[in-house]
Amino acid sequence: MERTADIYRDLERILVTREEIAEKVRELGQRIGQDYAGKNPVMVCILKGACVFFTDLIREIPLPLTTDFMAISSYGNATKTSGVVRILKDLDKDILGKDVIIVEDIVDTGITLNYLMKILIQRGASSLRIAALLDKTARRKVPDLHVDYVCFDIPDAFVVGYGLDYDQKYRNLPDIGILSPRIYNE
Ligand code: PRP
């Protein structure tokens, strides 16, 4: 998609280009490949935001991995999460004794992941790590949440693209941009 496409006009600016994303995703795939050499990790995509990152990332990991998908929603409204996560679609397979890598698009307060980690540990995963495309550390409310793999630390701005949405739109932008405030203020 050309960067002159109409939906790019809703951005204040591009924060991370598709080229920068591709380079980081490639590096991360190689790193995971080394860290999990000899293992068959289960890569878990947290829908929907992580779907674009996930499909690119798994193709950069040279291991006999498997994939699974979860859809979750936090109780509360868009700006305030309660810390309780509702599972809308659960994993298809049991993760007992498996090396699990959760793939997220963004860690914000960390409340969603913190809750999800507890659930997956209870199910007996033998190891559990997090791979996140973006980390907004400035917004963290769970200080002891350790995000093992991060592609980009970003400032506290409203970002869309490469899977991330506003009102379900912009997920198809190949770059990550800061949404123009006129879009969410109108
Ligand atoms: C986003 C993101 C994480 C969560 C992070 O999901 O994918 O799951 O919010 O926020 P937290 O760290 O403050 O808990 P979102 O609810 O936007 O759903 P989506 O992935 O379907 O877009």
Side-chain angles (χ1 to χ4, degrees):
M1 186 194 300
E2 298 287 332
R3 290 191 178 110
T4 50
D6 276 354
I7 50 171
Y8 274 88
R9 294 198 192 124
D10 294 349
L11 300 184
E12 194 172 85
R13 66 184 173 92
I14 292 177
L15 184 66
V16 191
T17 66
R18 60 191 80 176
E19 293 82 8
E20 290 167 333
I21 296 168
E23 193 183 329
K24 283 280 183 189
V25 171
R26 201 173 306 123
E27 280 172 20
L28 178 56
Q30 284 166 9
R31 210 176 131 200
I32 292 174
Q34 286 163 7
D35 291 354
Y36 286 79
K39 296 182 175 170
N40 311 330
V42 183
M43 307 293 297
V44 174
C45 176
I46 308 301
L47 298 168
K48 303 174 187 161
C51 64
V52 179
F53 173 46
F54 183 81
T55 53
D56 280 347
L57 179 62
I58 58 171
R59 284 178 289 174
E60 298 291 349
I61 304 175
L63 294 175
L65 55 78
T66 59
T67 59
D68 212 335
F69 297 81
M70 257 182 125
I72 56 179
S73 135
S74 52
Y75 286 106
N77 58 39
T79 52
K80 197 163 184 263
T81 41
S82 60
V84 178
V85 173
R86 187 159 50 117
I87 298 176
L88 304 176
K89 186 235 168 280
D90 208 338
L91 297 173
D92 288 340
K93 288 244 175 162
D94 198 350
I95 54 164
L96 181 70
K98 303 281 188 186
D99 295 304
V100 176
I101 304 177
I102 301 174
V103 181
E104 261 289 21
D105 54 344
I106 187 164
V107 187
D108 192 328
T109 63
I111 290 171
T112 307
L113 263 180
N114 192 47
Y115 191 83
L116 198 58
M117 295 277 289
K118 283 185 188 150
I119 294 175
L120 298 188
I121 287 168
Q122 276 170 9
R123 294 186 186 179
S126 78
S127 74
L128 188 57
R129 283 188 182 171
I130 303 167
L133 174 70
L134 304 175
D135 195 355
K136 266 190 195 174
T137 44
R139 298 242 321 152
R140 192 75 87 255
K141 287 198 177 138
V142 186
D144 55 348
L145 179 74
H146 179 63
V147 185
D148 305 272
Y149 303 108
V150 175
C151 289
F152 302 97
D153 274 303
I154 60 160
D156 184 13
F158 201 132
V159 289
V160 294
Y162 198 68
L164 290 104
D165 76 309
Y166 169 65
D167 202 14
Q168 299 304 324
K169 287 184 274 187
Y170 309 105
R171 294 194 197 272
N172 59 323
L173 279 179
D175 306 278
I176 296 167
I178 296 178
L179 191 63
S180 174
R182 76 178 153 78
I183 303 296
Y184 50 84
N185 286 334
E186 67 189 16

